[in-house]
Amino acid sequence: MRSLHIYRTLGAGASTFIKRSTPIPLKLSQLVVIPQRRLQSDDAKTGRPPAGGFVAVETTRTTANASMVDLAGKLFLEPMRFPLGAEIECHLGDGKWVVGTIVAHYYRQQEWPENQRVPYQVQVKESGATIYVPFDTDDCVRTTLRFPLNSAVECFLGEQLGWATGKVVKHYHCEPKWEPTEWAPYQIKLDEGQRQLPDGGGALIFAPLDKDSCVRAASNWPF
């Protein structure tokens, strides 16, 4: 099976195929730099997050190593679910969620032991404050992508090929040669038997934007 890739938008969101991938750069330098401030002073003094929530932190960024442990003392055995630059929702406790952007993996506050980390540092969209995520679980942090895995979708492949149906097989797709901040929201497997496609379907592609002009929920209209 050969892989095709949606790599850039044309005009009002049209996309096209190329033989090799062209990454979509998401540079951390484009994020707003703001003064650090504490959101919850009592919990910030202890260096620990409130139950199910977060505290503001000072900026320190690093990469993973084999000795790092989380706030419960457990090793980081699984890779981070969300890449740098991803927009996510964070739970602040009491059912309140805020939207933010991931700006660091394996974050550590200065007063913590050298090997103690949390999975993410996040810049909150509304306030600009930076907070940390204590655990990489859905009750702490969740995706803002519109389509879950295995969702039936339609992808716009340009004026010539039009829309094609497929299924979401991966979130935050990254090609082997891409940098950590270069990723696409979805990898999609096109359905077989689509006559307008050169190979009839079945190829793996990626969608560069999570917008209806690029990828939308599947309808029942025939091809």
Side-chain angles (χ1 to χ4, degrees):
M1 180 185 297
R2 64 190 181 94
S3 293
L4 298 176
H5 306 275
I6 302 178
Y7 86 107
R8 63 191 177 107
T9 58
L10 302 174
S15 302
T16 186
F17 284 135
I18 57 171
K19 293 182 179 179
R20 62 182 178 84
S21 305
T22 300
I24 311 298
L26 300 172
K27 297 185 182 298
L28 292 181
S29 61
Q30 295 174 345
L31 296 174
V32 178
V33 178
I34 52 95
Q36 303 297 302
R37 63 185 181 87
R38 296 196 180 278
L39 297 180
Q40 301 182 41
S41 57
D42 291 341
D43 293 300
K45 291 176 182 177
T46 68
R48 297 283 180 168
F54 308 87
V55 294
V57 294
E58 297 176 359
T59 301
T60 302
R61 294 177 182 139
T62 186
T63 54
N65 65 50
S67 67
M68 287 181 183
V69 296
D70 63 18
L71 296 183
K74 297 181 179 180
L75 292 172
F76 287 94
L77 300 178
E78 300 294 333
M80 299 294 98
R81 292 186 298 157
F82 306 112
L84 295 174
E87 182 182 88
I88 44 76
E89 288 185 324
C90 299
H91 186 214
L92 299 183
D94 298 325
K96 181 180 180 181
W97 293 80
V98 294
V99 176
T101 300
I102 292 176
V103 296
H105 286 164
Y106 305 104
Y107 174 77
R108 170 183 170 269
Q109 289 206 134
Q110 292 180 356
E111 63 268 27
W112 293 356
E114 179 61 33
N115 68 331
Q116 188 173 60
R117 309 293 167 123
V118 292
Y120 306 113
Q121 186 186 36
V122 174
Q123 186 175 50
V124 178
K125 184 176 182 179
E126 182 177 356
S127 67
T130 52
I131 61 177
Y132 68 71
V133 178
F135 299 104
D136 192 10
T137 56
D138 277 343
D139 58 343
C140 287
V141 58
R142 63 191 183 190
T143 184
T144 60
L145 294 181
R146 295 179 298 154
F147 302 115
L149 294 177
N150 298 315
S151 293
V153 294
E154 296 171 353
C155 306
F156 189 47
L157 307 182
E159 295 297 336
Q160 184 175 358
L161 297 178
W163 292 86
T165 61
K167 181 179 291 186
V168 174
V169 296
K170 186 179 180 181
H171 286 164
Y172 307 109
H173 173 69
C174 183
E175 293 285 294
K177 294 184 179 180
W178 291 6
E179 296 296 326
T181 54
E182 298 172 341
W183 47 270
Y186 304 109
Q187 186 181 45
I188 296 166
K189 186 179 187 297
L190 296 179
D191 294 335
E192 302 278 358
Q194 301 186 69
R195 293 189 301 272
Q196 85 279 23
L197 301 182
D199 59 358
L204 286 171
I205 65 171
F206 66 78
L209 300 172
D210 189 16
K211 296 184 177 181
D212 276 345
S213 58
C214 182
V215 57
R216 67 190 184 191
S219 64
N220 295 323
W221 54 271
F223 288 92

